[in-house]
Amino acid sequence: MSVTQSSQMVEQQFFKVIQDRRSVRYFNTEVSISREEMKEILQYATLAPSGANLQPWRFLVIDSQELKQKLLPIANNQQQVIEASAVIAVLGDLEGYTLAEKIYGMAVEAGYMPEEIATSFVQRYHRLFESLPPENVLQKVFIDSELVSMQLMLVARAKGYDTVPMGGFDQTKFVEAFKIPTRYVPVMLIAIGKGAKSGHRTVRLPIEGVAFFNELPKA
């Protein structure tokens, strides 16, 4: 097989994962995902980009049936909460920048950057985040957490699992029920498992209606 053929095969496999991903709301209750495999899915998901590589995402994996039942009314009684193998609560860490020294220290150990550059980055991002208004920090954390969420769903699909992202839940009750510290903000819930029914096929607007070059059309 030539390099070109190999590249085309990888491309086709990648596009198939994207095309096959559906928001699935009915799951096979007999299928469970081992914690080892769940960690692998999450590890690949964390290869998503983040501002300054600060990785402010955190995951609360709810795989206990008792806790899924507790979550059910908080998530507006969406049945996938108790049918899925697990529900992953994606949280944004508002104090994630405090791990900058650890992150950049790891980059130095890996030989990815000189120590003096790492030190300057740590100082810069501490000053930046400590000076930002809370709403700006929240926005940055949400953007990064949403990026990792999309990657998580694609990784799950590549491994043969199905997902559905859920924004319809009571964040205040969730924080209270699961004792979430104030440094963490709930971004979304993602049910994950093996679909019992295929997700609905949906349509997308034509690219000509959503993508423009150099300037937006006049309203």
Side-chain angles (χ1 to χ4, degrees), residues 94-141:
L94 299 173
E95 299 175 21
Y97 71 92
T98 60
L99 294 180
E101 186 171 2
K102 177 178 182 179
I103 292 168
Y104 289 120
M106 291 168 63
V108 171
E109 290 177 9
Y112 296 158
M113 68 171 60
E115 188 170 357
E116 60 271 20
I117 297 295
T119 300
S120 71
F121 280 177
V122 171
Q123 294 171 347
R124 177 191 305 174
Y125 292 119
H126 267 269
R127 286 195 302 268
L128 172 64
F129 278 86
E130 288 167 1
S131 67
L132 284 174
E135 59 270 23
N136 289 30
V137 176
L138 182 63
Q139 182 184 40
K140 289 178 179 296
V141 164

Side-chain angles (χ1 to χ4, degrees), residues 171-183:
Q171 294 192 10
T172 301
K173 289 182 180 178
F174 175 78
V175 165
E176 292 173 354
F178 289 87
K179 297 180 172 58
I180 307 298
T182 55
R183 70 180 283 173

Side-chain angles (χ1 to χ4, degrees), residues 23 29 44 46 96 112 122 125 143 145-146 148 151 154-155 167 186 191:
S23 290
T29 57
Y44 278 117
T46 60
Y112 296 158
V122 171
Y125 292 119
I143 289 171
S145 298
E146 289 161 348
V148 82
Q151 184 130 314
L154 291 177
V155 172

